[in-house]
Amino acid sequence: MADGNRSQAVAVPPARAAVVLVLTVRPGPPDPVRELLSDAAGIVRAVGFRAPGEALSCVAGIGADLWDRLYALGRPPGLHRFRKVSGDRHTAVSTPGDLAFHVRAHRMDLCFEVARRLTERLSGLADVVDEVHGFRYFDERDLLGFVDGTESPTGAEAVDTVRVTGGDPVFDGGSYLVVQKYVHDLGAWEALPVEEQERVIGRRKLSDIEIPDSEKAPDSHVALNTITDDDGNELRIVRENMPFGSVGEGVFGTYFIGYASDPAVIERMLHNMFVGDPPGNHDRILDFSTAVTGSLFFVPPAGLLQDPPPAPGRGGEP
Ligand code: HEM
């Protein structure tokens, strides 16, 4: 393979702008989509070379159904359709998604150009079912006004958190990606006193300092998303959430973008948020924010996209 098990640009420093595209692929032969995935890195290089220093990158993720159509390889072990999570009050919905492109840069024009060039190649083959143009809001805040991303791992720790290792070597260097579009009830949120908002999140609003465990509400977002394995080691994910919205339409949201080496970690966090830990103790952020999409993707190592395994029915498995 041209690039061995080099990972795609998953663990990169926060960008100022992002476009996320989720597409469904129409029935038909797999070749044009395989070719586009193989050429995507070249498209990003062609756009990014003209704007050095703007940190342009693009991650491509593949959903479970499309995987079976593209590659005679068997699915990566954690890849399945996003599983709906239903609690007594709130639901993490599952919505279609065959392909995801997470394009990041410090400038929106670069993200837009890559998104345009990618979709141009998919014209007639795939439909964009969700498109979000995300922006950085002040000092890394979400539209709820809180700093978002503080405890997300960075640098080498981020690479370790997202990189698949130890299974079938063909998937080594890959990652799993979950995206969900959350729409906030900003009126209800802003009607809460700041101290109550801080209780919901589990951190101070202005300073971003975490509320001590002894005072933190058990249904706060931070309490329910701090999880450990049986040996007490913290289980982490890399988050690249982006604010998005439309003032005219009154839409204010957070696009949740989570990467992990094992999607079960994200799934456990979602269980804690929506079902609750213990059940019934759901995340209070959900009383102000509704998940309207949800999809899971495998992010193959770069080499697998560039030099793909055989397509089904052509010398590979059926
Ligand atoms: C409406 C959507 C969401 C918003 C506005 C939001 C916002 C925040 C904020 C403000 C923080 C505290 C600062 C930080 O460490 O980043 C945080 C922490 C965190 N969030 Fe979210 N989040 C959302 C959805 C999710 C989802 C869906 C997950 C996982 C499936 C998640 C996982 C986490 C984790 C793991 C932490 C760090 C906990 C810790 O170790 O302190 N978040 N989020």
Side-chain angles (χ1 to χ4, degrees):
M1 281 184 185
D3 256 323
N5 286 96
R6 188 171 59 78
S7 299
Q8 295 191 55
V10 172
V12 300
R16 306 300 307 168
V19 171
V20 183
L21 298 175
V22 175
L23 301 101
T24 52
V25 176
R26 297 179 190 173
D31 297 348
V33 178
R34 288 163 53 92
E35 280 158 23
L36 178 268
L37 288 169
S38 170
D39 294 348
I43 293 174
V44 175
R45 277 195 299 278
V47 176
F49 186 67
R50 290 179 284 146
E54 301 292 351
L56 176 67
S57 65
C58 173
V59 171
I62 301 175
D65 295 340
L66 182 66
W67 184 273
D68 300 341
R69 290 164 58 193
L70 291 185
Y71 307 124
L73 191 57
R75 280 186 197 171
L79 182 60
H80 46 257
R81 283 190 196 169
F82 182 84
R83 295 175 184 138
K84 177 171 94 166
V85 185
S86 296
D88 50 13
R89 295 267 302 278
H90 303 292
T91 299
V93 293
S94 171
T95 51
D98 286 328
L99 283 175
F101 293 107
H102 178 199
V103 191
R104 284 175 274 187
H106 295 318
R107 279 170 37 192
M108 179 52 87
D109 59 338
L110 303 178
C111 300
F112 188 85
E113 177 71 2
V114 169
R116 182 180 150 214
R117 296 291 169 198
L118 293 170
T119 44
E120 195 171 60
R121 284 277 303 270
L122 290 165
S123 171
L125 303 167
D127 300 290
V128 176
V129 291
D130 196 21
E131 171 173 354
V132 167
H133 295 202
F135 52 88
R136 281 287 161 225
Y137 187 57
F138 295 97
D139 42 343
E140 307 281 342
R141 288 176 191 266
D142 55 45
L143 291 174
L144 303 177
F146 282 75
V147 176
D148 190 354
T150 313
E151 293 296 341
S152 184
T154 56
E157 200 189 342
V159 173
D160 289 347
T161 303
V162 300
R163 199 178 148 84
V164 171
T165 51
D168 184 336
V170 78
F171 301 129
D172 266 17
S175 281
Y176 293 90
L177 163 66
V178 168
V179 295
Q180 287 179 295
K181 181 188 259 183
Y182 283 87
V183 177
H184 310 313
D185 181 347
L186 218 53
W189 177 254
E190 288 183 344
L192 286 185
V194 168
E195 272 202 3
E196 187 56 22
Q197 295 180 349
E198 293 176 336
R199 201 189 155 282
V200 172
I201 299 293
R203 301 184 81 98
R204 296 291 171 211
K205 192 170 186 181
L206 179 63
S207 66
D208 188 34
I209 302 288
E210 188 171 345
I211 297 175
D213 285 349
S214 55
E215 295 165 35
K216 198 182 285 148
D219 58 356
S220 65
H221 184 62
V222 166
L224 285 167
N225 279 296
T226 306
I227 61 172
T228 53
D229 65 15
D230 293 343
D231 300 324
N233 304 310
E234 193 166 337
L235 296 171
R236 310 187 78 187
I237 64 173
V238 166
R239 289 170 290 128
E240 253 299 283
N241 293 0
M242 289 305 269
F244 70 91
S246 159
V247 289
E249 291 166 19
V251 174
F252 303 96
T254 292
Y255 205 78
F256 169 78
I257 303 167
Y259 290 100
S261 59
D262 180 354
V265 177
I266 303 178
E267 288 165 348
R268 222 178 106 193
M269 290 173 177
L270 289 171
H271 184 273
N272 279 4
M273 287 178 68
F274 286 82
V275 176
D277 181 27
N281 181 54
H282 72 257
D283 192 327
R284 278 215 58 217
I285 213 173
L286 299 177
D287 296 338
F288 303 91
S289 200
T290 305
V292 297
T293 70
S295 310
L296 166 68
F297 304 91
F298 180 64
V299 174
L304 191 146
L305 292 181
Q306 271 159 37
D307 185 9
R314 282 192 228 152
E317 298 153 27

